[in-house]
Amino acid sequence: MKKFSFELQKVLEYRDFEKQQAEGELAKALAVETEINENLEKVAQNYAAVKAQMKGSLDFQDVIAQSQYNNLLEYQKEELLKQLAQAKLVSEQKREVLRECMKKTTALEKLREKQLSEWKAAADYEEAELLDEVKNKINVEKNSF
């Protein structure tokens, strides 16, 4: 019996490659999101540190400096939130591309599995037929003696 051959193997390999590429792109997008979240955390820590430093200070220059620094931190936070929103959109797009790649790959894998099981069934049937034929020949030879 001939060896199993999936006619769409090259297409399946290409779809797997596309899926791996999409996974890599999604990972990069998620890394950008993580970096932005870390920067937001740093801004929050800076805000808390300045607030703790300035607690009880009555110096007008310190109060003005704190206010200006808080304005800067607020601006940074707003910019980071805009970037995060944009990064989330990109991540969702990449996630959708990955979903589509996975659907295409899964469909081909199921088709391959179905063809493989049909091939195995045919091979088993052919083997059983061959064994029956051999048994019949043996029986005919025994009966002729």
Side-chain angles (χ1 to χ4, degrees), residues 6 36 58 60 67 70 72 75 85 87 93 100 108-109 111 127 135 144:
F6 182 55
I36 293 170
L58 298 176
F60 186 69
S67 175
N70 284 342
L72 173 66
Y75 174 77
Q93 291 170 347
E100 288 301 314
L108 282 174
E109 287 172 346
L111 179 61
E127 185 178 331
K135 283 182 188 178
S144 63

Side-chain angles (χ1 to χ4, degrees), residues 1 12 27 29 34 44 52 57-58 67 73 91 93 98 106-107 138:
M1 172 126 208
L12 179 59
T34 302
S57 176
L58 298 176
S67 175
L73 291 176
S91 294
Q93 291 170 347
L98 178 59
T106 302
I138 291 174

